[in-house]
């Protein structure tokens, strides 16, 4: 693995016009009602949280992509093309799960042509190791909580507000990583002892 690369965790999630129901406050005796149109239109989000492997002062970087429908290999390659422009020629080690679109023949062929990108796979059934899962949780508990939008644009606007909130708080992406128990920056190397 390149020791001067960005370590980037990527994950996808879905949102729909069905509200993310969360507990809320209301005056005593007045149960809050959430009215929505029972519309199943869906959008998919892709988020990539990047941490520099040797220079924490460079901060964490967040890339975000939202599209109607779901992701397939072609759509994910478009996301990676945008990520390539975002990192402007820097080396990236991309860590993601075992979704079939991540490891398809077309994806592997595309990645083989990329000199800036290396892929690593998360262990199976281990979403707790991906800090992007905590990003989704943050969005769904805050900006998307109890949102009963009429159009996917309402959901998109709320999601973008959440992405801006996370981007403007430099500690949040690091807290997502810390919550996974993973570290990017090793502790200072132990002093080498000279034996005799």
């Amino acid at each position: 693995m390149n020791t001067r690369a960005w370590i980037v965790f990527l994950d996808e999630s879905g949102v729909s016009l069905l509200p993310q129901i969360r507990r809320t406050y209301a005056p005593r005796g007045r149960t809050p009602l959430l009215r929505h149109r029972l519309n199943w239109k869906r959008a998919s989000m892709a988020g990539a949280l990047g941490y520099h492997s040797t220079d924490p002062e460079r901060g964490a970087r967040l890339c975000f992509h939202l599209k109607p429908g779901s992701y397939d290999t072609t759509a994910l390659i478009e996301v990676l093309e945008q990520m390539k422009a975002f990192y402007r020629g820097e080396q990236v080690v991309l860590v993601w799960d075992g979704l079939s679109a991540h490891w398809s023949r077309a994806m592997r062929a595309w990645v083989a042509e990329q000199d800036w990108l290396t892929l690593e796979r998360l262990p199976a059934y281990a979403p707790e190791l991906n800090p992007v899962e905590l990003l989704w949780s943050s969005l769904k508990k805050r900006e998307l909580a109890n949102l009963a939008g009429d159009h996917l644009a309402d959901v998109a606007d709320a999601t973008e507000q959440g992405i801006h909130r996370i981007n403007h708080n430099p500690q949040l992406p690091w807290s997502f990583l810390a919550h996974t128990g993973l570290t990017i920056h090793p502790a200072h190397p132990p002093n080498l002892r000279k034996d005799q």
Side-chain angles (χ1 to χ4, degrees):
M1 178 173 20
N2 187 333
T3 58
R4 293 182 172 266
W6 285 89
I7 310 301
V8 178
F9 295 86
L10 190 141
D11 191 44
E12 304 85 13
S13 184
V15 290
S16 75
L17 290 179
L18 294 178
Q20 301 279 329
I21 299 173
R22 297 289 184 255
R23 185 177 301 200
T24 187
Y25 294 98
R28 184 183 302 247
R30 294 178 47 196
T31 303
L33 297 176
L34 192 56
R35 298 184 193 281
H36 61 89
R37 296 180 178 221
L38 197 60
N39 191 324
W40 291 92
K41 286 187 180 175
R42 293 188 56 79
S44 294
M45 309 179 287
L49 277 172
Y51 307 89
H52 198 273
S53 59
T54 58
D55 187 1
E57 297 302 316
R58 294 183 76 178
R61 289 187 180 176
L62 171 57
C63 301
F64 178 75
H65 187 266
L66 180 72
K67 72 178 283 307
S70 59
Y71 285 103
D72 59 7
T73 298
T74 303
L76 284 171
I77 288 173
E78 290 175 17
V79 170
L80 295 179
E81 288 283 3
Q82 290 179 8
M83 202 165 82
K84 179 180 181 179
F86 185 77
Y87 282 99
R88 291 184 203 81
E90 295 192 73
Q91 293 297 303
V92 170
V93 176
L94 183 65
V95 182
W96 57 7
D97 58 27
L99 184 72
S100 60
H102 294 172
W103 301 98
S104 69
R105 182 176 295 153
M107 179 64 77
R108 285 180 285 145
W110 183 84
V111 169
E113 297 173 358
Q114 309 302 311
D115 61 351
W116 64 279
L117 182 64
T118 304
L119 296 183
E120 294 291 337
R121 187 175 182 155
L122 284 167
Y125 309 109
E128 69 277 2
L129 296 178
N130 194 335
V132 182
E133 294 284 354
L134 295 154
L135 179 141
W136 300 144
S137 178
S138 178
L139 286 175
K140 290 177 180 182
K141 288 180 180 173
R142 194 143 169 201
E143 283 79 14
L144 297 176
N146 301 319
L147 176 66
D150 290 328
H151 306 284
L152 278 177
D154 299 331
V155 175
D157 290 344
T159 302
E160 286 187 22
Q161 289 174 3
I163 293 299
H164 289 301
R165 171 182 58 85
I166 292 166
N167 261 335
H168 284 85
N169 183 342
Q171 297 304 316
L172 265 179
W174 290 105
S175 71
F176 298 156
L177 180 66
H179 192 12
T180 67
L182 300 174
T183 59
I184 297 296
H185 312 289
H188 295 290
N191 292 333
L192 299 176
R193 286 188 344 195
K194 292 181 182 177
D195 292 332
Q196 289 160 353

